[in-house]
Amino acid sequence: MIKHIVFWKLKEHAEGGDRAANALKMKQLLDSCAKLLPGMLTFEVALAQPGLEASYDVVLYSEFADKATLDAYQDHPDHIAIKPFIVAVREARQCMDYAA
């Protein structure tokens, strides 16, 4: 199994929206990718919650059956289609993939 975890810090304003609006839109876009392929075992998108410590705005926690499934997700047209928005609104990104 491969775990794929990504954190995004968003710009204050981008693509006509503020940080909060863009975080919600980003979550909706990512959630639309949750069941793209067999072998996607877990796919959870969360937003930073007021009152709880967070240095990033959006997190994706996902588990894939194997590296081939993760690679297929990365190359899936629906995933590729949401990337321009994410790139436009993000200030920073951190990612880690690891075998579990």
Side-chain angles (χ1 to χ4, degrees):
M1 174 175 35
I2 301 293
K3 294 187 180 186
H4 173 67
I5 303 170
V6 187
F7 291 88
W8 293 272
K9 179 180 278 297
L10 304 186
K11 297 173 184 173
E12 284 297 324
H13 296 279
E15 298 296 295
D18 64 11
R19 177 180 280 166
N22 286 336
L24 285 173
K25 181 174 180 179
M26 189 171 163
K27 181 178 182 342
Q28 292 171 342
L29 291 170
L30 287 164
D31 282 342
S32 74
C33 294
K35 303 213 183 285
L36 292 179
L37 301 163
M40 292 177 69
L41 308 174
T42 302
F43 197 91
E44 180 180 334
V45 182
L47 304 180
Q49 299 294 304
L52 297 176
E53 184 177 349
S55 53
Y56 281 76
D57 301 300
V58 181
V59 62
L60 167 65
Y61 174 84
S62 52
E63 296 175 350
F64 296 83
D66 50 34
K67 187 174 183 315
T69 306
L70 173 58
D71 291 344
Y73 163 73
Q74 296 288 9
D75 294 334
H76 193 283
D78 291 356
H79 179 248
I80 291 170
I82 70 172
K83 284 184 175 184
F85 177 79
I86 292 172
V87 169
V89 300
R90 79 173 186 209
E91 180 179 303
R93 176 184 180 271
Q94 297 292 323
C95 177
M96 184 169 177
D97 297 332
Y98 62 97

